[in-house]
Amino acid sequence: MTRRRHVDPVALGQLLAPGRAVATHAQLRELGVPSSTITYRLRHDAAWTPILPGVVLGHRGVPTPHERRLAALAYAGATGRLTGSDALVVLGVVAARRHTGSRVHVLVDHGCRRTSHGFALVTRTRRGGALETRDGLVCVPLARATIDACRRIRDLDAVRELVADVVQNHGVRPADLLAEIRAAARQRTHLAREVLSEIWAGIRSVGEARLRRVLREAGIPDPVWNAELRRPDDGLLVAVADALWPSVGLVVEIDSRAWHLSPESYRRTQRRQRLLAEWGLTVLPVSPADLASDPAAVCAQVASLLASLPPRGCRLAVQTGQAA
């Protein structure tokens, strides 16, 4: 008679620990849990929950986001890795949290036979590359996850916000995003392409992108975006102007707490505006709310200042904010 393998309760408890209580049937059997016991606990005593084919949730409650991601990876198999908004959230991108949705996007190698099921959205890929692991979750790098996320977002401003976050706060280079767009299937990449064209023009925020669009629609000449203003004698950086028309010394600043993350950052913005005025520049603060509700009035103010300010140049040295 074949003797049943002893189940290690400590190892089983570690596998199904609170907050990450996800396991495959194969993992449970490796610990000595018989298939009959798995079936019984799923169907009869209701201690466990079938969450995806071959994947068990070790409690009867609602799975946490972390457990959903663990389950999707467990279902995907050995080649599975998170991508899209879920990968971005795991990698610390705050702007991605509102885009995670009802499905967890995982990539598998092209030869894998797994298909999408339930909340696990499975995509095959021929592309390999480096991976990152956070808290037991295997993720594609930020640049690839960003483009995969953008392909599933239909709102242009949301794409702008997401790309701005990864570029400004996570060190992703626009060139890396462009490489990912070129490597990806072309479908549903038009919004990401538009945002990257804005970044190459020097745009760094949703507010700046909106301002650029309304100025162009009004026929106002393009400014220098995110212009680095440096002292002419020693090259010391004085400020970075959101939008600068150097010939007349006009600066337009997107002036909002929402885009500056904290009250202290907002106060730094105000100090910067005063400093620009001390160097002889005319500063026009524009709030995103005004830009959204009455763009014509904003454009009229800019046009009026461009027409009325005398040609005087800029006493500070100007370096463009073009993407590298």
Side-chain angles (χ1 to χ4, degrees), residues 28-98:
L28 292 168
R29 287 194 295 267
E30 286 176 4
L31 292 181
V33 180
S35 296
S36 59
T37 300
I38 297 173
T39 301
Y40 181 83
R41 305 214 75 179
L42 289 172
R43 294 183 181 177
H44 299 290
D45 74 351
W48 296 342
T49 307
I51 188 170
L52 285 169
V55 184
V56 166
L57 180 66
H59 58 79
R60 296 300 295 179
V62 177
T64 66
H66 184 69
E67 288 173 333
R68 282 165 50 87
R69 292 162 190 148
L70 283 172
L73 286 174
Y75 169 72
T79 67
R81 56 269 202 194
L82 289 176
T83 191
S85 296
D86 278 278
L88 292 176
V89 170
V90 172
L91 296 173
V93 180
V94 174
R97 292 177 182 172
R98 62 179 61 92

Side-chain angles (χ1 to χ4, degrees), residues 157-214:
D157 280 350
V159 173
R160 285 168 172 158
E161 181 185 27
L162 191 61
V163 173
D165 194 343
V166 299
V167 170
Q168 294 180 23
N169 300 323
H170 297 273
V172 175
R173 299 183 307 162
D176 294 333
L177 295 174
L178 180 60
E180 286 297 333
I181 285 181
R182 289 172 173 169
R186 190 173 181 86
Q187 294 91 335
R188 303 192 305 275
T189 61
H190 62 288
L191 295 182
R193 292 174 187 272
E194 182 173 346
V195 171
L196 276 181
S197 72
E198 294 172 348
I199 289 176
W200 246 266
I203 302 299
R204 292 293 182 272
S205 74
V206 176
E208 290 170 9
R210 288 175 176 168
L211 179 62
R212 179 176 184 255
R213 174 174 54 81
V214 300

